[in-house]
Amino acid sequence: MAFQIAGVELESRFFLGTARYPSPAVLEQAIAASGAQVVTVGLRRQLAAGGTPNDLQLIRDSGVHVLPNTAGCHTAREAVNIARMARELYETNWIKLEVIGDEYTLQPDPFELLAAAKELVKDGFEVFPYCTDDLVACQRLLDAGCRVLMPWGAPIGSGQGLLNPTALRTLRARLPGVPLVVDAGIGSPKDAVQAMELGYDAVLLNSAVALADDPVTMARAFRLAIESGRLAYEAGVMAKQEMAVPTTPVTGRPFVL
């Protein structure tokens, strides 16, 4: 199940967020249970909490790739500044680019997002843009130099699952060679299975694990769901039929196997 994203080969297709866990110990155990090789960290959240991230060493010790994000930014300029700070702090040119345009839905601002992406790509970043499932907006981000896209399944933290699987299916069909990661809105393992059966390369989630009664067990549940969904996609999920189709051949006369 190995695949490449931004020039790095990964075995796990599970990207895990690190916010809102009950304790650093639970976060550490959840990362291990998930099998994730990429975790996201929010610099603005950490700075608001009072300085440098106290879980940075824990994350580094887990051996994962750190994907800083610009969560909480509302303009391209703000996102670019946070990205540059994150590069210095986390020593990586990877950045999950978030530029929010609506406070209620936390929907990305496609114009500010594109402007920030263009500047960061020129500045040597590997940009992972959090975007909507709009095909044209996604194509513009690719034109700007992004090599990975992270379309939402539903609003951040809503747990509503994939609200528009048709749009996500269209993205996958029209952008066959682009790594696509469903990001935001995943609420249960069945949502992750659905995303992977659509042919998406990975799933990123946070709240569904961090806020579970047992985050460690939930992390393992999502790990198995993502693996099974990918295997189902590779094996070929049977097409739905409008009518019943007999599974036992009928020859018109009895026979014994």
Side-chain angles (χ1 to χ4, degrees):
M1 294 179 65
F3 74 113
Q4 280 206 352
I5 195 162
V8 175
E9 186 168 294
L10 300 171
E11 295 289 338
S12 172
R13 296 175 182 270
F14 189 176
F15 292 13
L16 185 64
T18 58
R20 305 181 72 183
Y21 286 82
S23 71
V26 171
L27 169 60
E28 184 176 25
Q29 294 169 41
I31 292 173
S34 72
Q37 294 175 286
V38 176
V39 300
T40 63
V41 291
L43 183 57
R44 280 182 61 97
R45 170 176 58 84
Q46 297 288 1
L47 293 176
T52 57
N54 56 18
D55 58 358
L56 176 56
Q57 193 58 48
L58 179 155
I59 292 171
R60 283 176 170 164
D61 289 346
S62 68
V64 299
H65 295 274
V66 177
L67 178 59
N69 67 48
T70 62
C73 293
H74 293 81
T75 67
R77 175 52 47 202
E78 186 181 17
V80 167
N81 288 338
I82 289 293
R84 288 171 176 161
M85 292 173 62
R87 179 164 60 182
E88 294 299 317
L89 179 61
Y90 294 105
E91 300 177 338
T92 178
N93 69 331
W94 283 16
I95 192 72
K96 179 190 171 188
L97 181 61
E98 296 185 33
V99 186
I100 300 303
D102 180 70
E103 283 292 344
Y104 181 73
T105 64
L106 300 182
Q107 179 170 321
D109 182 325
F111 307 103
E112 293 292 300
L113 182 68
L114 181 58
K118 289 179 178 179
E119 186 166 349
L120 290 172
V121 167
K122 290 180 181 178
D123 201 18
F125 282 88
E126 193 70 62
V127 180
F128 295 61
Y130 163 63
C131 53
T132 65
D133 51 23
D134 182 85
L135 174 60
V136 175
C138 287
Q139 288 174 324
R140 296 295 176 266
L141 289 166
L142 295 175
D143 293 342
C146 298
R147 297 197 293 168
V148 180
L149 296 175
M150 306 184 80
W152 69 350
I156 293 173
S158 69
Q160 296 181 61
L162 307 188
L163 292 183
N164 195 345
T166 299
L168 292 173
R169 187 178 294 108
T170 299
L171 277 184
R172 179 70 287 173
R174 296 289 293 127
L175 306 174
V178 178
L180 299 177
V181 182
V182 170
D183 177 17
I186 298 294
S188 77
K190 69 179 178 62
D191 302 327
V193 171
Q194 184 182 15
M196 298 306 292
E197 286 186 349
L198 289 175
Y200 276 69
D201 296 279
V203 169
L204 191 157
L205 59 95
N206 188 160
S207 299
V209 169
L211 302 183
D213 293 338
D214 184 344
V216 177
T217 299
M218 187 60 78
R220 182 169 180 269
F222 270 105
R223 175 182 186 171
L224 296 173
I226 290 167
E227 290 176 357
S228 68
R230 181 64 191 185
L231 286 172
Y233 171 73
E234 292 178 351
V237 179
M238 71 174 291
K240 294 181 179 179
Q241 306 290 333
E242 292 187 4
M243 301 294 291
V245 177
T247 55
T248 302
V250 178
T251 63
R253 60 195 303 177
F255 66 93
V256 178
L257 295 179

